[in-house]
Amino acid sequence: MRKRRQRKRKKNGFLKAGLLFLAVITVALGVMKIAGAGPFFYGYTERKGGVVDTYRPDMTVDLLTPNPYSRPETSTSRIRNIVIHYTANPGATAKQNRDYFEGLKDTHLTKASSHFIVGIEGEIIQCIPTWEVAYASNSRNGDSVSIECCHPDETGEFTGATYDSMVKLSAWLCLKFGLTENDLIRHYDITGKICPKYFVDYPEKWEEFRSDVGKTLEKMS
């Protein structure tokens, strides 16, 4: 009889310990979810200050007017990729492309925009905050940052100044979001669209670009 009671007490002890363990795990997961950490880490986050500010490339912040056609003010989730595009508008400047996006609020021609535009002379314009969606990367609009790149002719090849700014901006964004050069993708990799044309036509140049971003990122870390 005594042994039976001892076994029962031991069994109850294991049961209580198990319930306590489950309670601790439940509370821990709840805290992680509220904090946006662990397996529930899906919300937007970015590194700020320090090295991020040090390596921020020169840029003009000229945000689009909030509107349904180019700046819907929809929140992004955790940024997982930086997407490279080309404007398919030979000879146009970064400002002209930015103004086209701005004009969509009036023309309603389509839904299009980009977080950043890199110009033929290497100038960078930010059009949309990175915590908001840009209409650039189709199914990946919600968890990526887009960079539109200007080019002088139909080949889509970038000028040296454009390329240098693309590398610096891409590396800085990788630093900002805890990514690597392997997290750089082309619009082509999402939809099969020939964009950016030069990097689709010459995939070895795309790999060279990612390598250059990686080398720049190493210097920033």
Side-chain angles (χ1 to χ4, degrees), residues 183-194:
D183 297 308
L184 293 169
I185 59 176
R186 301 164 295 182
H187 193 183
Y188 171 80
D189 298 314
I190 301 171
T191 66
K193 181 178 180 180
I194 307 303

Side-chain angles (χ1 to χ4, degrees), residues 18-187:
L19 290 173
L20 179 61
F21 177 76
L22 287 174
V24 170
I25 291 297
T26 300
V27 170
L29 289 175
V31 171
M32 289 168 69
K33 185 173 183 179
I34 292 171
F40 300 103
F41 188 68
Y42 298 119
Y44 177 91
T45 186
E46 62 177 54
R47 293 175 64 184
K48 296 180 179 179
V51 70
V52 175
D53 289 346
T54 299
Y55 288 105
R56 181 181 184 272
D58 291 336
M59 66 179 71
T60 299
V61 178
D62 192 3
L63 301 181
L64 304 178
T65 304
N67 74 91
Y69 292 88
S70 55
R71 188 187 169 191
E73 295 187 290
T74 304
S75 298
T76 52
S77 60
R78 180 183 180 185
I79 300 301
R80 299 182 182 279
N81 292 102
I82 310 301
V83 188
I84 305 298
H85 305 255
Y86 88 132
T87 62
N89 188 8
T93 65
K95 182 66 164 57
Q96 288 169 334
N97 280 285
R98 182 264 172 208
D99 289 347
Y100 169 76
F101 292 147
E102 175 70 14
L104 292 175
K105 73 181 190 302
D106 303 313
T107 64
H108 302 175
L109 290 174
T110 187
K111 291 183 177 181
S113 54
S114 183
H115 293 96
F116 299 91
I117 306 172
V118 180
I120 293 175
E121 296 181 358
E123 69 276 20
I124 300 172
I125 297 178
Q126 181 174 9
C127 302
I128 294 180
T130 53
W131 54 85
E132 292 181 19
V133 162
Y135 288 135
S137 303
N138 302 80
S139 62
R140 298 299 310 281
N141 286 340
D143 65 354
S144 65
V145 170
S146 57
I147 305 175
E148 286 279 356
C149 305
C150 298
H151 50 99
D153 57 42
E154 296 286 350
T155 68
E157 184 174 3
F158 306 112
T159 65
T162 301
Y163 185 89
D164 288 345
S165 289
M166 289 167 61
V167 169
K168 292 175 183 176
L169 177 59
S170 297
W172 177 70
L173 289 170
C174 285
L175 181 70
K176 187 180 179 74
F177 295 110
L179 305 175
T180 73
E181 69 274 17
N182 295 320
D183 297 308
L184 293 169
I185 59 176
R186 301 164 295 182
H187 193 183

